[in-house]
Amino acid sequence: MKDLLLLLTNPALISVLAMCLLCLARCNVLLALFASALLAGVLSGSGLQESLQVFIKGMSSNLEIALSYILLGFLASAIAKSNIIAIAIYKLTELFSKGAKAGGSVKTSIFICLAIAAIASLSQNLIPVHIAFIPILIPPLLGVFNMLKIDRRAVACALTFGLQAPYITLPIGYGLLFHQTLIREMNKHGFPITLDDTAGVLWIGGLAMLLGLFIAVGVFYARPRIYQECAIESHTKHMKSAQITMADVSIIIGAVVAFLVQLYTNSMPLGAFSGVVIMLLGGGIAWRSMDNLVDSGIKLMGFIAFVMLLAAGFGEVLRSSAAVDGLIEIGAGLVGGKLGGALLMVVLGLFITMGIGSSFGTIPIIATFYCPLCVQLGFSTEATILLIGIAAAIGDAGSPASDSTIGPTSGLNADSKHDHIWDTCVPTFIAFNIPLLLAGVIGALILG
């Protein structure tokens, strides 16, 4: 009883719960993180000024990640506005439309959903446009979906899979940011791991999501669903008249250069900057329109960059608090061994990420607790990587505030026939979070 009381009054736990409650109450994530960090500092005995200084110092650890997001947003905006993307999407629209007119079937619908999942996957690793492609690709396809009676919940699951599974599985593009964040935070707590270590374990999470995708597309949402027709022509007209120019060629070269430089240097900021320079020199980015593209890039990725900065500051405040050590000791005794510990960590990660809306921003917070707790419970390094990686990623699907759900809704609701919560968040939560939870707990137990 005494241990339970100490647990419930622990400043670190109270601050994390406060952050989750504020986020779930629709408080802005940035304000929730800042307020919760100050609360953690004050409850642990530090003053407001001291807590603020620790918070600001901690933010500096994620400056490279934040810079990467800003530059990637710039790169993504340039690629998304090029004629190459418009032409490629128009050709896909034509291809899917022919299939629909020829007499659609369940197999055709499933194929289209899987093709969309594959395209979305490329947006995270090969051509890092993130969610910028969705408002371009999806609205012209809504008529095809209606013709084939495709349940848009299946499409939402396909898009969310492509936005999340690649960064969990592959340390390329946004995946490199995710893996590097995990490595950096675990290194701080005595786990000297590398990209090979994270990539060698986190594929388990990607496999779990792939299984969830097949079940969602082929079982849960495979039945025909009728939508009231509402034509959307503005996107299609632009794509039909688009032609490839030398400026578009420089966009392709810039994207390739960004990819290769990132692979060679393991630096996302350097890769993104190299791609931007090539696009500027080749005319893919007009000098006079550069400010507009920067604005678009900041709108696309700037918010996530600031979430990452504040999450790092929050994590630093928690680390500097003696309350974390007490929480780990009490928690290790209450969870009842590895099974209870693994389940607790994954479920807590689910709530934190659901509240924040960013799996990237969750890592600095949970690593502070999970690394010492995993050591206390006797988990191996591989199991610790899996638990932290999946605990951070598990709430990304299904969170109302996540790009992985906001992005799909922005395209699927172009005709106001798709509900964000019930048609995107709930289906993606069921399809992916349950397999991820099982993969995290069972995988950690197998890995030891």
Side-chain angles (χ1 to χ4, degrees):
M1 186 66 182
K2 181 181 178 181
D3 285 344
L4 182 60
L5 183 61
L6 289 172
L7 180 68
L8 295 176
T9 57
N10 185 278
L13 180 62
I14 291 173
S15 64
V16 172
L17 291 176
M19 179 202 64
C20 292
L21 291 173
L22 285 172
C23 290
L24 292 173
R26 293 292 184 269
C27 175
N28 184 273
V29 174
L30 300 179
L31 293 176
L33 282 168
F34 185 60
S36 301
L38 294 181
L39 178 64
V42 171
L43 290 178
S44 62
S46 302
L48 277 175
Q49 288 292 337
E50 184 181 348
S51 300
L52 182 59
Q53 289 175 1
V54 173
F55 180 81
I56 293 172
K57 179 184 176 182
M59 288 174 64
S60 63
S61 65
N62 266 355
L63 285 176
E64 181 181 353
I65 300 294
L67 176 62
S68 299
Y69 268 111
I70 297 299
L71 289 173
L72 277 176
F74 187 15
L75 192 69
S77 295
I79 295 173
K81 291 183 179 180
S82 68
N83 287 330
I84 293 170
I85 297 295
I87 292 171
I89 290 173
Y90 179 68
K91 295 298 182 183
L92 280 172
T93 305
E94 279 193 322
L95 178 64
F96 292 157
S97 296
K98 287 178 182 178
K101 292 175 182 177
S105 64
V106 173
K107 289 183 179 179
T108 304
S109 301
I110 292 174
F111 170 77
I112 289 177
C113 289
L114 294 179
I116 289 172
I119 294 168
S121 296
L122 296 178
S123 73
Q124 300 303 296
N125 298 83
L126 186 61
I127 307 173
V129 295
H130 195 46
I131 63 172
F133 77 98
I134 295 177
I136 305 172
L137 170 65
I138 298 302
L141 290 176
L142 293 181
V144 178
F145 298 159
N146 293 344
M147 195 180 303
L148 290 170
K149 298 183 176 66
I150 295 177
D151 192 329
R152 294 186 194 179
R153 291 175 294 182
V155 182
C157 290
L159 288 168
T160 297
F161 170 86
L163 293 173
Q164 185 178 1
Y167 77 69
I168 296 174
T169 312
L170 301 172
I172 304 171
Y174 291 101
L176 181 61
L177 297 180
F178 184 78
H179 285 241
Q180 284 181 336
T181 304
L182 180 58
I183 291 168
R184 184 180 295 108
E185 295 302 322
M186 289 189 66
N187 286 344
K188 290 178 183 177
H189 294 88
F191 288 87
I193 61 173
T194 65
L195 280 175
D196 290 336
D197 296 319
T198 56
V201 171
L202 290 182
W203 62 265
I204 296 172
L207 184 62
M209 289 197 68
L210 183 62
L211 177 62
L213 173 67
F214 287 146
I215 294 174
V217 170
V219 181
F220 288 166
Y221 309 114
R223 291 182 179 180
R225 187 176 181 183
I226 298 174
Y227 293 86
Q228 185 177 350
E229 190 66 42
C230 180
I232 301 174
E233 301 178 354
S234 58
H235 296 276
T236 309
K237 287 180 179 179
H238 165 67
M239 291 186 293
K240 188 174 183 180
S241 61
Q243 294 182 345
I244 294 179
T245 64
M246 288 304 297
D248 295 313
V249 174
S250 75
I251 292 283
I252 296 178
I253 297 173
V256 172
V257 167
F259 180 73
L260 294 177
V261 170
Q262 175 213 308
L263 285 181
Y264 182 74
T265 64
N266 274 340
S267 172
M268 179 55 74
L270 191 57
F273 180 72
S274 300
V276 168
V277 169
I278 295 296
M279 292 177 187
L280 280 169
L281 293 176
I285 298 175
W287 193 264
R288 292 182 177 179
S289 65
M290 187 165 35
D291 287 343
N292 291 332
L293 277 176
V294 170
D295 290 342
S296 298
I298 291 175
K299 288 178 182 177
L300 181 65
M301 302 301 297
F303 178 74
I304 303 176
F306 274 101
V307 169
M308 290 296 299
L309 289 174
L310 268 67
F314 186 20
E316 185 64 27
V317 173
L318 293 177
R319 273 190 294 273
S320 67
S321 168
V324 174
D325 296 331
L327 181 64
I328 298 305
E329 289 181 15
I330 298 169
L334 291 176
V335 294
K338 286 187 174 181
L339 175 59
L343 185 60
L344 173 68
M345 285 187 268
V346 174
V347 171
L348 182 59
L350 170 65
F351 281 104
I352 293 175
T353 307
M354 284 280 289
I356 293 177
S358 167
S359 56
F360 293 77
T362 300
I363 294 176
I365 298 170
I366 64 174
T368 304
F369 299 99
Y370 290 12
C371 286
L373 181 58
C374 285
V375 172
Q376 191 90 355
L377 293 172
F379 280 112
S380 65
T381 299
E382 291 79 10
T384 304
I385 292 171
L386 183 67
L387 281 170
I388 296 177
I390 287 187
I394 189 172
D396 205 359
S399 171
S402 169
D403 280 1
S404 297
T405 57
I406 293 173
T409 298
S410 69
L412 291 168
N413 195 40
D415 59 355
S416 302
K417 306 298 179 186
H418 184 88
D419 183 74
H420 179 56
I421 299 299
W422 293 104
D423 292 333
T424 295
C425 295
V426 172
T428 56
F429 183 97
I430 295 171
F432 300 123
N433 288 337
I434 295 175
L436 281 173
L437 187 149
L438 294 174
V441 174
I442 296 172
L445 295 176
I446 292 174
L447 290 171

